[in-house]
Amino acid sequence: MIHSLFIVNSSGDVFLEKHWRSVVSRTCVSYFLDVHRESANNVPPVLSTPHHYLVSIQRNGISLVAACKQEFPPLFVIEFLHRVVDTFEDYFSECNENVIKENYVIVYELLDEMLDNGFPLATECNILKELIKPPNILRTIANSVTGKSKYYARTISGTLPSGQLSAIPWRRTGVKYTNNEAYFDVVEEVDAIIDKNGQTIFAEIQGYIDCCIKLSGMPDLSLSFMNPRLFDDVSFHPCVRFKRWESERILSFIPPDGNFRLMSYHVGSQSIVAIPIYVRHNLVLKSGEQSRLDITVGPKTTMGRTVEGVKLDICMPKAVTNCSLVVNQGKYTYDTVNKILHWDIGRIDAAKLPNIRGTVSVASTNSTLETTIDRVHFTISQMAVSGLKVNRLDMYGEKYKPFKGVKYVTKAGKFQIRM
């Protein structure tokens, strides 16, 4: 299926290539680079060239481009490329050009195990970590003392991973923990467009549930919700039994060991999405060159929760020559090149200072000003804006009682306020 994989940096240079079925010249990547230079954010995921199909994803400032010679299911290859990046992030904590260059040997070993003759083989981190040991500080120090180069240090285990012998490929056998714990993070991102009058034009929620499971043996978990019908669309980790979800709206699964994403979900605009904060604004145009923009920010539907990490990015028109901000909280910077005013508000505590006010003095060469608050950032702990609540978590197959915890977080996604 996949003949070659090329990893390209933001400058358009191929800094890693891996071939499986046959050697594909890196000149084929030029078709991808031509489209990428025209519009980096609008590159089609599949490009057809005279001799190859190029499938690409872009994450963390790098692009992964897979070259295929025959027709194939495109979503299958796209999902594999995302799995490659997720594996690198699991091994190295992050995935960027510098990290990949520092761990060339491990990266090539991972790609060898993840793909066999162009077809996915082992893509679960639990299995890969038994085959290829992740880098750590002790190994780095040992290599420095013994004089072994990190580029030639062997990291492949000599034993067959127990997960390969199991009927459940995502979980290894013989897992044992002194403290058995299961943590679930329910994270929701709000996408919204608000008009000049403060009315919500569009609002929806993108959510996901991340897990940290450290349970001994082979536990069988069942997770139920108070209001599962609010989901408009869902996607699951392969461990979830989909038939039971369809019939009972219960997540039944044997979990992988460690950190993983259990499910992603979508709450559409047809549902009532409450915006957690409000942003009121008033633009005053004077006859001269000086204008004023008054902005008030505060919590709206936060159920008494403290809003943290509040930031506003205000896009100014090209006619603006300079602007200054007078605020009762936070600090600001103005990007004169991109014409963006960054206002870092920080934390909003409704009990102490419910309304945050800022006055922007704008100097421009045009009397007509049209601005937008193009990006809004905020984080609210212990709250799911959709109203999603976990009902209970049951465990079968093991006799011990684990410690269970659920955390809710609401964040700003693609948030725009028009003025």
Side-chain angles (χ1 to χ4, degrees):
M1 180 180 293
I2 299 176
H3 284 71
S4 300
L5 173 66
F6 303 92
I7 303 183
V8 186
N9 61 16
S10 57
S11 302
D13 300 322
V14 178
F15 65 92
L16 185 143
E17 60 182 275
K18 171 67 177 172
H19 307 281
W20 286 276
R21 307 191 71 175
S22 59
V23 177
V24 176
S25 174
R26 64 170 59 184
T27 55
C28 71
V29 184
S30 60
Y31 293 94
F32 166 80
L33 295 176
D34 291 340
V35 180
H36 187 270
R37 291 189 192 100
E38 294 178 2
S39 179
N41 297 324
N42 295 315
V43 179
V46 181
L47 293 173
S48 179
T49 70
H51 302 288
H52 303 91
Y53 295 100
L54 300 180
V55 185
S56 62
I57 65 169
Q58 300 180 55
R59 286 178 61 177
N60 305 327
I62 61 175
S63 302
L64 276 71
V65 183
C68 309
K69 289 187 177 181
Q70 293 88 22
E71 292 188 0
F72 57 92
L75 289 178
F76 196 79
V77 179
I78 292 173
E79 175 62 24
F80 173 77
L81 295 179
H82 281 291
R83 186 64 63 89
V84 170
V85 178
D86 292 340
T87 301
F88 291 169
E89 290 179 345
D90 191 275
Y91 264 74
F92 315 124
S93 299
E94 55 183 339
C95 178
N96 53 46
E97 181 180 1
N98 293 331
V99 170
I100 292 176
K101 286 182 177 180
E102 290 174 358
N103 299 276
Y104 263 140
V105 172
I106 298 180
V107 167
Y108 276 108
E109 289 172 352
L110 287 171
L111 293 176
D112 271 331
E113 297 298 332
M114 295 183 73
L115 219 63
D116 181 30
N117 196 31
F119 291 89
L121 178 63
T123 58
E124 291 292 336
C125 283
N126 281 311
I127 296 175
L128 290 170
K129 285 182 178 179
E130 291 190 58
L131 280 169
I132 303 168
K133 301 302 180 184
N136 54 48
I137 298 176
L138 294 177
R139 184 178 295 115
T140 303
I141 295 174
N143 290 340
S144 300
V145 173
T146 58
K148 292 182 179 179
S149 171
K150 62 182 178 180
Y151 297 106
Y152 298 98
R154 298 298 296 170
T155 56
I156 296 182
S157 172
T159 60
L160 184 67
S162 56
Q164 294 284 55
L165 306 177
S166 172
I168 304 172
W170 54 83
R171 185 174 181 85
R172 57 191 177 93
T173 59
V175 180
K176 292 182 180 180
Y177 287 101
T178 304
N179 298 320
N180 293 283
E181 303 168 330
Y183 299 100
F184 298 86
D185 291 345
V186 181
V187 182
E188 295 186 343
E189 296 183 355
V190 183
D191 299 339
I193 299 176
I194 301 174
D195 65 9
K196 297 179 179 180
N197 301 318
Q199 300 295 321
T200 302
I201 301 175
F202 169 83
E204 64 179 13
I205 297 170
Q206 308 291 340
Y208 50 88
I209 300 178
D210 285 342
C211 307
C212 179
I213 306 295
K214 296 182 179 180
L215 300 176
S216 304
M218 196 68 67
D220 197 327
L221 304 181
S222 293
L223 183 68
S224 61
F225 302 97
M226 298 288 291
N227 43 3
R229 298 293 175 181
L230 61 85
F231 298 128
D232 291 320
D233 190 16
V234 291
S235 62
F236 300 112
H237 188 276
C239 67
V240 175
R241 300 181 178 98
F242 187 66
K243 288 186 177 180
R244 187 169 182 189
W245 170 260
E246 282 190 317
S247 60
E248 304 178 39
R249 285 297 188 265
I250 293 177
L251 292 179
S252 176
F253 58 98
I254 296 176
D257 180 41
N259 299 307
F260 67 100
R261 179 158 295 179
L262 179 63
M263 69 174 293
S264 301
Y265 61 89
H266 170 78
V267 179
S269 56
Q270 64 271 18
S271 303
I272 299 176
V273 178
I275 307 300
I277 67 172
Y278 67 84
V279 180
R280 300 184 185 132
H281 49 82
N282 182 29
L283 181 61
V284 180
L285 298 175
K286 296 183 179 180
S287 57
E289 295 183 353
Q290 198 76 18
S291 302
R292 191 178 78 247
L293 175 63
D294 297 323
I295 302 175
T296 304
V297 184
K300 188 177 180 181
T301 55
T302 61
M303 300 169 57
R305 308 292 184 187
T306 300
V307 187
E308 299 178 351
V310 181
K311 297 180 183 179
L312 302 183
D313 292 345
I314 306 170
C315 296
M316 296 294 179
K318 294 181 178 179
V320 173
T321 57
N322 193 16
C323 66
S324 60
L325 180 64
V326 178
V327 298
N328 62 347
Q329 180 175 316
K331 55 185 179 180
Y332 79 96
T333 57
Y334 181 62
D335 186 347
T336 56
V337 177
N338 298 315
K339 306 294 183 180
I340 299 178
L341 177 64
H342 304 279
W343 181 13
D344 188 351
I345 298 174
R347 184 175 184 178
I348 299 179
D349 192 343
K352 296 181 179 179
L353 192 61
N355 297 321
I356 311 299
R357 295 182 177 89
T359 301
V360 185
S361 298
V362 182
S364 67
T365 58
N366 193 336
S367 60
T368 303
L369 293 178
E370 292 185 359
T371 64
T372 60
I373 301 178
D374 199 40
R375 286 178 293 275
V376 179
H377 309 272
F378 59 81
T379 302
I380 306 174
S381 301
Q382 299 304 323
M383 174 185 170
V385 69
S386 67
L388 179 68
K389 293 291 183 182
V390 173
N391 182 25
R392 58 183 297 172
L393 174 68
D394 298 318
M395 187 182 73
Y396 307 95
E398 300 292 338
K399 296 181 179 180
Y400 57 84
K401 292 184 179 180
F403 178 82
K404 298 170 285 187
V406 180
K407 182 175 69 175
Y408 301 91
V409 178
T410 295
K411 297 180 179 180
K414 298 177 182 178
F415 215 99
Q416 185 183 84
I417 301 174
R418 299 174 180 174
M419 297 186 183

